[in-house]
Amino acid sequence: MGFVIIRDGCGSRALQIAKQHGISGGTIFLGMGTVQTPLLKLLDICEIRKEIVMIVNEKNQLRSALGVLDRVFHFRKPHHGIAFTVPVTRLYGTRNNGESESEEEIMHNLICTIVDRGLAEDVVDAARSAGSRGGTIVHARGSGIHETCKLFAMCIEPEKEIVFIVSDKDSTEAIVSAIRRHMEIDKPGNGIIFVQDVTSTYGLF
């Protein structure tokens, strides 16, 4: 599975280019990137809209398409976007049904944290205190047993925020520990964290 996190308005073009290089399709959703520069902090502009393109495809074809996107969008330049792949255990509903491919050396991890809306910035701050350079925030809805409440006999599902952070493998434990401690994740209803291996990256500095 591949993820491309790119500037607002570029997701459709990125997916179109990927399709021209063997990708059958993908899903685009909106998020916010967190940036830290003295000027943006002075102007109180520390979030920029991002588009996240999620693609599921065979490993070699996916890497080939992401390599093309890397060249087109110049991910090697700061703030031009990033792309990465994560392994999928099983895949159904495509021409490539079946088990995942052989394991590879893991250099990075994807840390996903799900918390109540309004707390994502606290997650990012906690992660930065442990060495993270930022993350991408996506809005979502939750329906866990601790969160759902009723209003006029109707179930209300509170809004959530998901924070995606790509970290060096050696830094992952420190970042996760900082988020767990700061957000009190181990208390019921405070959120969850899960970590996935990242098999290839583009645009990380």
Side-chain angles (χ1 to χ4, degrees), residues 4 17-18 21 60-76 83 85 200-202:
V4 180
I17 293 171
H21 291 82
N60 292 331
Q61 202 166 43
L62 179 59
R63 286 188 174 175
S64 176
L66 293 184
V68 172
L69 294 177
D70 182 30
R71 293 191 294 273
V72 171
F73 291 100
H74 307 291
F75 292 152
R76 60 189 174 277
T85 60
S200 60
T201 62
Y202 307 80

Side-chain angles (χ1 to χ4, degrees), residues 9-167:
C10 294
S12 294
R13 182 179 173 223
L15 188 54
Q16 182 181 28
I17 293 171
K19 286 180 177 179
Q20 293 169 357
H21 291 82
I23 301 301
S24 58
T27 302
I28 302 172
F29 49 103
L30 298 176
M32 291 183 299
T34 60
V35 293
Q36 283 282 348
T37 66
L39 177 60
L40 292 178
K41 289 183 71 175
L42 177 66
L43 298 174
D44 197 25
I45 307 174
C46 292
E47 295 176 349
I48 47 179
R49 287 171 59 90
K50 295 285 187 180
E51 289 186 340
I52 303 163
V53 184
M54 184 176 67
I55 302 168
V56 180
N57 212 288
E58 186 270 330
K59 178 181 68 175
N60 292 331
Q61 202 166 43
L62 179 59
R63 286 188 174 175
S64 176
L66 293 184
V68 172
L69 294 177
D70 182 30
R71 293 191 294 273
V72 171
F73 291 100
H74 307 291
F75 292 152
R76 60 189 174 277
K77 296 182 178 180
H79 311 304
H80 279 233
I82 66 170
F84 57 91
T85 60
V86 298
V88 173
T89 303
R90 287 182 174 84
L91 176 62
Y92 302 99
T94 75
R95 290 173 297 179
N96 301 308
N97 289 348
E99 302 285 338
S100 66
E101 302 193 27
S102 59
E103 294 184 2
E104 305 173 53
E105 182 181 4
I106 304 301
M107 302 296 292
H108 297 83
N109 293 123
L110 173 64
I111 304 170
C112 301
T113 307
I114 304 174
V115 292
D116 288 336
R117 186 166 187 176
L119 297 179
E121 287 293 343
D122 293 338
V123 172
V124 174
D125 289 343
R128 281 203 179 104
S129 72
S132 170
R133 297 176 184 174
T136 301
I137 300 169
V138 178
H139 296 294
R141 287 188 306 154
S143 59
I145 59 173
H146 298 289
E147 298 89 353
T148 303
C149 59
K150 287 195 174 184
L151 178 65
F152 301 119
M154 293 185 300
C155 290
I156 306 299
E157 296 178 349
E159 293 188 345
K160 299 288 185 180
E161 288 177 331
I162 306 171
V163 183
F164 294 114
I165 297 171
V166 179
S167 69

Side-chain angles (χ1 to χ4, degrees), residues 115 119-127 129 174-187 190 193:
V115 292
L119 297 179
E121 287 293 343
D122 293 338
V123 172
V124 174
D125 289 343
S129 72
I175 293 171
V176 169
S177 294
I179 297 172
R180 285 180 64 189
R181 182 173 60 254
H182 184 74
M183 304 303 299
E184 299 184 324
I185 289 293
D186 295 325
K187 292 185 178 180
N190 278 14
I193 302 171

